[in-house]
Amino acid sequence: MKPIRFGVLTVSDTCFSKQNQDLSGPKLQECIRASFPDASIIATRIVPDEKEMIKNALLEWSSQGVMDVILTTGGTGFAQRDVTPEATKAIIDKEAPGLSYAIISKGMAVTELAVLSRAVSGIKNKTLIINLPGSVKGASESFGFIKNVLKHAVAHVREDRETIKCDHKHIRDLSPSKVKIHQSAYRNRNSPYPQIDVDVALAMIFEKLPIASVTECVDISKSLCRILAEDVYAKEPMPPFNASIKDGYAVKTSDGAGVRKVRNVVAAGDVPDSARPLDDDEIVSISTGAPVPQGADAVVQIEDTVLVQASSDGSRELLVEIKVAPKLYQDIRPVGSEITANELVIHKGDAITFGHIGVLATLGKVNVQVYKRPQIGLISTGNELQAPHEELKPSHIRDSNKLALLNLLRQYSYEASDCGIAKDNPDSVKKALHSALAHYDVIITTGGVSMGEFDLIKNVLEEDFNATIHFGRVNMKPGKPTTFATCNFEGKLKVIFGLPGNPVSAMVTTILFVIPALRHLENSKQKSLPMIPVVLGEQFTVDPRPEYVRVRLEAGDNVLTAYSVGNQISSKINSFINANALMLVPSKLVHPNSFKKGDILNAIMLN
């Protein structure tokens, strides 16, 4: 299915007049990018609470044929000027009441005030229009209630029968899970999975996963951090002409020093007079980057000259003294001195940096072939989890892992999609995994991989999806129950990382295993994040397992000194706030005693 194209329309008198800042519109854009990383936000706009202006904006966007979904925010309340639903009703061809009902009914589970919503949803031409509340919380919350059905809704509006058929097949095929929760007294008390070291786990990941072979063409403006899938050659020399390095005068070295006549001026971008070469005792005023005129073989910087005579109005130099005899080719960049024609400039397999993009722009290479990246989906598991924007229920916690992981991946240039929260029962876990496997190449789950009665990820993967668990325990702290699995789903290899539910464990194992796996899948030369030596600024105790400690590195006299950020328990996600590195503290088997201040260990930078 082609990416969904969105428009976000903010309806607000005060935002339109700039009395207040629009917060809901940008928040919706953030939600769209998090849930649909390949989507395009075609347009955004703010209009006042005027029915005709709202109608005109909706008609303009829906008639262009480039917008799949228009999300409005604001103007759905009971105030006299709240007319967004009326404007929407006036222009749509047909209503989509189920979407509005979902927003209201699910909203009532959060607050009974949701019953006051007057939101309208409908279709105009080939565009789906959905009214959302005007508050930041209400808009993002309501979007969250319907986001999982938007792809299917857009497929219907587009009449994309292949996608519709595929979605319906997934629904029909989703039978109950084969996994049965055992009586708690007879559950497993010892893991059946051997505990392996981190380097062994990484080697296994690289062995089991294929290297990218599929490529795609992207604009260089969107190529940062991608892996180049072609060698890039220069079509022309750079510079394509003899260019001046300084502001000054183009001269003939044979003239030496002395007073010279200024023929004319050549600025960057000018085409020099080529009708006749430079005469003896004649010079041309020249700017940095300008083409050196024919006959000139050096440039003298302006600091080495003296004005002798100017025109009566001061607009032109007539005579200038060259104080220092020039040397041949001084301050000239010859043709092809930086890049020769047909030269191999950038190599296949390079990770594209801002420097690469600058060179590509210089060469006029505006589109490049890069290795295609896997699509990534994130699933949280747990009966106790709620979305961060919801009012907290008794005995519940907010799902911090999802947003933290989405942004951790983004920090390393990867985009992922939110695949929701699965409850701690086999059917819910199977449904979430089935939906994610249908749409994504790499699935990351958090929670449900340990030894608890309701830790179901491994069992559901094996029994319902015939997945191979390559490892299910790693000799590390935090992150011991980290799981890596693969399966064949509808003829395609799918990769699953089952990460622990504790926030710190999820972050650490993403850095150690998921990022290297994603880099491997796109053919990156640098897979694992590099480790650097650091000096301990205090004593560090040792654990029976190798421990990845969150530390703060401070720069000193040519050294980085590591300090603990405090309590290292795996549930304390705020320990990452002050940490800028993960430091590996070897186990007691390797180093029985604590490490002392001044000792040297290795650390991974967190940026």
Side-chain angles (χ1 to χ4, degrees):
M1 180 177 177
K2 293 180 180 179
I4 300 176
R5 302 161 299 181
F6 285 88
V8 177
L9 182 67
T10 300
V11 181
S12 168
D13 286 333
T14 57
C15 291
F16 181 75
S17 63
K18 298 185 179 179
Q19 296 176 42
N20 289 327
Q21 182 182 359
D22 177 21
L23 300 177
S24 296
K27 181 61 178 178
L28 276 177
Q29 295 176 52
E30 180 184 320
C31 293
I32 290 167
R33 292 190 181 98
S35 299
F36 303 95
D38 59 344
S40 300
I41 299 176
I42 302 295
T44 61
R45 187 180 297 179
I46 303 174
V47 296
D49 291 286
E50 296 286 350
K51 185 176 178 181
E52 289 304 312
M53 292 187 71
I54 300 169
K55 285 170 56 179
N56 290 340
L58 295 176
L59 285 170
E60 178 189 338
W61 284 1
S62 59
S63 64
Q64 292 173 345
V66 295
M67 209 83 73
D68 295 308
V69 179
I70 299 174
L71 301 175
T72 72
T73 172
T76 61
F78 281 17
Q80 185 175 358
R81 289 184 62 77
D82 287 335
V83 293
T84 302
E86 286 71 27
T88 304
K89 275 188 176 181
I91 64 102
I92 57 177
D93 300 322
K94 59 184 72 174
E95 285 197 54
L99 290 168
S100 300
Y101 175 75
I103 292 170
I104 295 171
S105 61
K106 291 184 179 181
M108 287 178 65
V110 179
T111 172
E112 60 185 12
L113 296 179
V115 74
L116 302 178
S117 174
R118 299 189 309 110
V120 168
S121 302
I123 300 164
K124 178 64 178 178
N125 297 324
K126 294 284 187 179
T127 303
L128 181 60
I129 302 172
I130 304 170
N131 297 160
L132 302 177
S135 69
V136 172
K137 180 176 181 294
S140 58
E141 203 170 66
S142 298
F143 178 79
F145 297 149
I146 60 169
K147 65 182 181 182
N148 291 337
V149 301
L150 282 183
K151 280 188 177 180
H152 193 67
V154 169
H156 274 281
V157 173
R158 289 177 176 174
E159 298 181 357
D160 181 353
R161 291 181 175 81
E162 191 62 35
T163 298
I164 296 169
K165 182 180 176 181
C166 182
D167 287 347
H168 286 170
K169 180 180 183 298
H170 291 151
I171 295 171
R172 287 196 308 270
D173 292 348
L174 196 55
S175 56
S177 173
K178 299 174 186 176
V179 175
K180 305 301 176 188
I181 298 178
H182 301 295
Q183 294 177 331
S184 59
Y186 301 108
R187 63 183 174 181
N188 287 333
R189 296 181 183 274
N190 293 296
S191 174
Y193 302 99
Q195 184 168 277
I196 63 175
D197 291 335
V198 169
D199 56 349
V200 175
L202 277 170
M204 195 175 293
I205 290 170
F206 299 149
E207 177 191 349
K208 300 299 180 183
L209 299 186
I211 293 174
S213 57
V214 179
T215 66
E216 60 182 345
C217 185
V218 299
D219 187 281
I220 59 171
S221 64
K222 299 178 181 178
S223 68
L224 186 66
C225 297
R226 300 296 298 271
I227 305 300
L228 195 63
E230 61 174 324
D231 287 329
V232 176
Y233 293 86
K235 294 181 179 179
E236 56 207 6
M238 190 58 57
F241 52 83
N242 291 335
S244 175
I245 296 176
K246 299 280 183 68
D247 292 326
Y249 301 89
V251 302
K252 297 173 70 174
T253 55
S254 58
D255 289 340
V259 177
R260 304 284 176 260
K261 179 182 178 182
V262 181
R263 188 167 86 181
N264 57 8
V265 177
V266 178
D270 286 350
V271 177
D273 179 13
S274 58
R276 63 182 178 88
L278 205 61
D279 289 337
D280 293 344
D281 297 329
E282 193 176 44
I283 61 177
V284 169
S285 178
I286 194 166
S287 301
T288 301
V292 176
Q294 185 180 353
D297 55 13
V299 170
V300 175
Q301 63 181 1
I302 196 166
E303 293 89 341
D304 293 334
T305 66
V306 174
L307 176 64
V308 175
Q309 183 182 354
S311 62
S312 57
D313 60 1
S315 62
R316 292 182 58 236
E317 299 171 326
L318 300 178
L319 295 174
V320 167
E321 180 185 358
I322 305 299
K323 297 193 298 179
V324 180
K327 297 179 181 179
L328 190 64
Y329 304 129
Q330 77 175 29
D331 289 332
I332 291 178
R333 288 189 299 146
V335 174
S337 58
E338 295 177 5
I339 301 172
T340 60
N342 302 314
E343 179 183 343
L344 174 58
V345 182
I346 306 177
H347 293 80
K348 177 180 179 179
D350 281 2
I352 298 174
T353 66
F354 68 90
H356 289 83
I357 293 173
V359 173
L360 290 166
T362 297
L363 298 176
K365 177 77 171 173
V366 295
N367 295 293
V368 291
Q369 288 291 327
V370 296
Y371 288 106
K372 195 167 185 179
R373 283 183 158 175
Q375 297 291 304
I376 310 165
L378 269 62
I379 302 172
S380 301
T381 67
N383 292 336
E384 77 281 14
L385 296 182
Q386 290 183 218
H389 56 263
E390 296 177 355
E391 186 176 339
L392 203 59
K393 301 174 185 176
S395 302
H396 283 61
I397 60 172
R398 295 184 179 92
D399 179 10
S400 62
N401 284 343
K402 185 71 61 56
L403 280 176
L405 283 178
L406 284 169
N407 286 282
L408 174 59
L409 290 167
R410 187 172 293 130
Q411 183 169 305
Y412 288 96
S413 82
Y414 295 100
E415 293 293 335
S417 297
D418 181 358
C419 295
I421 298 173
K423 299 298 183 182
D424 288 324
N425 68 74
D427 291 345
S428 180
V429 171
K430 179 182 178 181
K431 181 180 178 182
L433 283 170
H434 190 281
S435 177
L437 289 167
H439 295 98
Y440 302 97
D441 307 302
V442 176
I443 315 301
I444 303 169
T445 67
T446 59
V449 291
S450 192
M451 293 292 294
E453 180 182 358
F454 299 101
D455 289 323
L456 304 167
I457 293 293
K458 293 184 179 80
N459 288 341
V460 171
L461 282 172
E462 288 184 311
E463 296 191 33
D464 292 316
F465 298 98
N466 197 28
T468 300
I469 308 293
H470 299 291
F471 62 77
R473 282 197 308 160
V474 184
N475 183 29
M476 62 181 294
K477 181 183 180 181
K480 180 180 175 180
T482 299
T483 299
F484 165 60
T486 57
C487 73
N488 188 296
F489 187 88
E490 296 184 347
K492 296 181 180 178
L493 177 71
K494 302 290 181 173
V495 181
I496 306 98
F497 284 97
L499 308 183
N502 277 324
V504 171
S505 300
M507 304 305 118
V508 170
T509 52
T510 295
I511 292 166
L512 290 180
F513 301 118
V514 178
I515 299 297
L518 295 175
R519 289 181 168 186
H520 176 84
L521 285 167
E522 65 168 334
N523 212 9
S524 175
K525 296 174 183 175
Q526 176 69 53
K527 297 180 176 64
S528 297
L529 303 180
M531 300 193 86
I532 58 173
V534 297
V535 177
L536 303 189
E538 59 187 89
Q539 178 176 301
F540 282 83
T541 59
V542 294
D543 189 84
R545 284 176 282 156
E547 184 172 9
Y548 290 85
V549 178
R550 283 87 71 201
V551 295
R552 183 184 77 258
L553 299 184
E554 294 184 1
D557 296 330
N558 298 319
V559 297
L560 290 172
T561 305
Y563 298 91
S564 173
V565 295
N567 196 317
Q568 296 289 316
I569 62 173
S570 59
S571 59
K572 192 175 181 182
I573 192 171
N574 58 330
S575 63
F576 269 109
I577 292 176
N578 296 317
N580 56 13
L582 288 177
M583 186 175 73
L584 173 58
V585 179
S587 71
K588 283 185 176 181
L589 292 175
V590 175
H591 194 279
N593 302 314
S594 296
F595 286 91
K596 299 176 183 178
K597 180 178 179 179
D599 287 345
I600 297 177
L601 291 176
N602 292 317
I604 298 171
M605 297 293 289
L606 287 179
N607 195 333

